[in-house]
Amino acid sequence: MSACPNTATASVIATVPVAAGEPVTAADSADPCCAAPLPVLGRDVTVPLVTGGEVSYAALDYAASAPALQRVWDDVAAYAPYYGSVHRGAGYLSQLSTDLFENSRVTVAEFLDCRPDDQVVFTRSTTDSLNLLAAVVPADCQVFVFETEHHASLLPWKDAQVSYLNAPRTPAQAVEILERALAAREPQGAALVCVTGASNVTGELWPVKELAAAAHAHGARIVLDAAQLAPHHPVSVRESDVDWVAFSGHKLYAPFGSGVLAGRADWLQEAEPYLAGGGASRKVARRADGGVDVEWHTTAARHEAGSPNVIGVYSIASACKALTEAGFDSLVAREQHLIATVRAGLAEVPEVRVLSLFGDDSPRVGVISFVVEGWNSSHFAAALSAEYGIGVRDGLFCAHPLVRTLLGSDPQDVGECGAPEAEPGERSLNAIRVSFGAGTPDEHVERFVGAVRELVRDGAQWKYRTEDGRCVPDRG
């Protein structure tokens, strides 16, 4: 039998069959049926149209959850018969699964270019990772977070002193705003800056390295929310000099609900476990007074209580390997081609306004949000789905302060369907988001651009209504 894919060499896992074969590159992995560098599950799925017939589904909502890579699915399927309990099990499959789990930790550390003393903690998601960090910050910690963050970064800091920073309009202004805020803080006590690497609304890249330098110059630490950055660009903890990085498997083409918090170990080791239970505890003993004494692990296990999601963890490691082997240079170059196609197409429709903080020339990943004059965004997104088989996202994208700032006072016509976020009588504020990545074929973005043009020119072919807060085709 061959060695298990995507793990470090270990004799105990040598019986797991190879699923992915030789290392894959973007050049030789292109699937003729989907014309994308890395084939994903669902590329052959067809969906019905309200106007009749079926069409291949264009998944353009990668920023919410990217489809799983075929490579990841195959790797997990190859491991599945060998599934066993992780840690402490004496059986062969338990030992194999434990090695797989711990070698996945090594793979993720390499993918993130972690420092030798950094810890990689497996969580459920980016949200879980940032809540974990919020639970271990020192009691007197001051947290600085821009209002432009995803709610996963904006909301977890309830037990800290939080300063919410105004939305910058240039990368340089972001650094200036942070420096002023840090300079004005009380110098005593710990401080933490939380910043995104790429916006989940505009796709724009943030000046992470410069923000990290500013944070450290003022005695603060910094955590990078890489949920939207890691699937599109290489992330180096060492080069960017961030203290922690968090990301989710489900945005990195890996299913099963796992996430990562990687970085400095000291705060993690000094705090009480995020969850108390088996796995986090090294030794538990009864006391004479009837209570218990607990000695907690000082490794990543301290914050991984309970039976871990070994399949989810392995899927992240498999995705990390696949992206690395495909080569980010070629993946980024192709994604820039898709971004240019979408932006050029939208620019030809005067009624469309693309949302941006930093301006049209700002570097970005494959995430673009926009509004259409004369349309409620929920209505427009519903028509894209029902009449063209295109899946996008509408709403405020779990970044309400940012989207409201970007929309400002722009009128949003209610049309046949209102936005689910709008209360009765409230002016509807919502936008449309299209997002894509390594599994997106050219045809999907070309169909999207054509559909936008047709809907604005000709209107929807079908009637729509609001049902359970969503805009849906009226089939009555």
Side-chain angles (χ1 to χ4, degrees):
M1 306 292 279
S2 303
C4 179
N6 301 341
T7 63
T9 303
S11 59
V12 74
I13 57 176
T15 56
V16 180
V18 169
E22 295 299 317
V24 181
T25 65
D28 62 18
S29 66
D31 186 341
C33 77
C34 69
L38 292 175
V40 295
L41 294 181
R43 60 190 183 276
D44 300 323
V45 169
T46 59
V47 294
L49 303 179
V50 293
T51 51
E54 292 187 342
V55 67
S56 62
Y57 182 64
L60 296 178
D61 193 16
Y62 277 46
S65 282
L69 290 177
Q70 185 68 54
R71 157 76 172 269
V72 171
W73 194 260
D74 291 345
D75 281 354
V76 168
Y79 160 66
Y82 300 87
Y83 174 82
S85 63
V86 175
H87 299 142
R88 297 172 300 284
Y92 183 83
L93 296 191
S94 178
Q95 294 178 50
L96 184 150
S97 295
T98 298
D99 274 16
L100 191 83
F101 185 82
E102 293 303 332
N103 282 318
S104 294
R105 202 186 304 275
V106 173
T107 296
V108 171
E110 292 173 347
F111 179 75
L112 295 174
D113 189 25
C114 287
R115 298 162 295 239
D117 295 334
D118 286 338
Q119 284 189 348
V120 173
V121 180
F122 290 117
T123 66
R124 293 177 296 175
S125 59
T126 307
T127 301
D128 195 33
S129 296
L130 292 171
N131 274 269
L132 163 57
L133 187 60
V136 306
V137 297
D140 61 348
C141 188
Q142 294 178 265
V143 176
F144 298 85
V145 56
F146 286 93
E147 68 172 350
T148 48
E149 293 291 309
H150 186 281
H151 294 171
S153 304
L154 196 70
L155 302 180
W157 318 103
K158 56 185 180 295
D159 295 328
Q161 305 172 48
V162 186
S163 295
Y164 296 104
L165 308 179
N166 292 335
R169 287 300 182 168
T170 66
Q173 190 179 73
V175 178
E176 293 169 3
I177 290 172
L178 178 62
E179 286 183 329
R180 286 198 300 269
L182 290 172
R185 80 178 182 96
E186 292 293 329
Q188 295 80 18
L192 177 68
V193 176
C194 184
V195 66
T196 189
S199 171
N200 77 304
V201 176
T202 67
E204 292 165 315
L205 298 178
W206 278 62
V208 175
K209 192 170 183 178
E210 291 79 2
L211 290 168
H216 293 154
H218 291 275
R221 300 188 184 189
I222 185 169
V223 57
L224 169 64
D225 176 353
Q228 299 296 339
L229 183 64
H232 303 275
H233 280 264
V235 175
S236 171
V237 171
R238 196 188 312 258
E239 182 179 341
S240 62
D241 200 24
V242 295
D243 297 279
W244 293 277
V245 61
F247 71 90
S248 295
H250 73 100
K251 298 185 192 300
L252 195 78
Y253 311 101
F256 307 115
S258 284
V260 169
L261 177 67
R264 296 180 60 159
D266 53 352
W267 284 4
L268 294 169
Q269 292 174 349
E270 293 162 4
E272 290 293 300
Y274 182 45
L275 297 173
S281 56
R282 183 176 180 273
K283 183 188 299 183
V284 180
R286 288 293 301 272
R287 294 196 307 261
D289 63 4
V292 294
D293 287 322
V294 184
E295 180 182 334
W296 303 107
H297 279 294
T298 58
T299 63
R302 186 183 188 90
H303 299 289
E304 295 177 344
S307 297
N309 181 1
V310 60
I311 288 181
V313 165
Y314 182 43
S315 71
I316 288 181
S318 174
C320 289
K321 284 281 190 177
L323 290 168
T324 301
E325 291 168 3
F328 269 109
D329 287 347
S330 57
L331 293 176
V332 169
R334 183 177 183 277
E335 184 173 303
Q336 291 306 308
H337 160 71
L338 297 181
I339 293 171
T341 299
V342 172
R343 288 176 60 81
L346 295 179
E348 294 175 353
V349 184
E351 294 83 354
V352 170
R353 181 171 79 88
V354 173
L355 305 183
S356 174
L357 268 177
F358 299 154
D360 290 344
D361 296 331
S362 178
R364 67 195 68 226
V365 300
V367 179
I368 298 170
S369 296
F370 62 98
V371 292
V372 183
E373 182 182 347
W375 284 80
N376 178 271
S377 295
S378 296
H379 185 194
F380 200 88
L384 285 173
S385 174
E387 300 178 26
Y388 296 91
I390 298 170
V392 298
R393 175 86 26 152
D394 65 275
L396 301 177
F397 318 128
C398 291
H400 294 190
L402 170 57
V403 179
R404 291 182 183 279
T405 294
L406 293 173
L407 290 177
S409 60
D410 279 6
Q412 291 283 291
D413 296 337
V414 174
E416 296 179 62
C417 290
E421 291 88 356
E423 297 294 333
E426 180 185 81
R427 183 168 59 88
S428 173
L429 282 176
N430 61 333
I432 306 151
R433 184 181 70 190
V434 56
S435 53
F436 39 85
T440 305
D442 288 11
E443 189 274 329
H444 287 185
V445 298
E446 291 165 358
R447 191 197 316 172
F448 165 76
V449 169
V452 170
R453 186 181 300 112
E454 289 183 10
L455 282 172
V456 173
R457 183 189 64 211
D458 304 330
Q461 300 180 53
W462 206 263
K463 294 288 186 180
Y464 294 82
R465 59 186 175 86
T466 302
E467 180 179 289
D468 297 327
R470 297 300 307 167
C471 188
V472 297
D474 188 347
R475 302 177 187 275

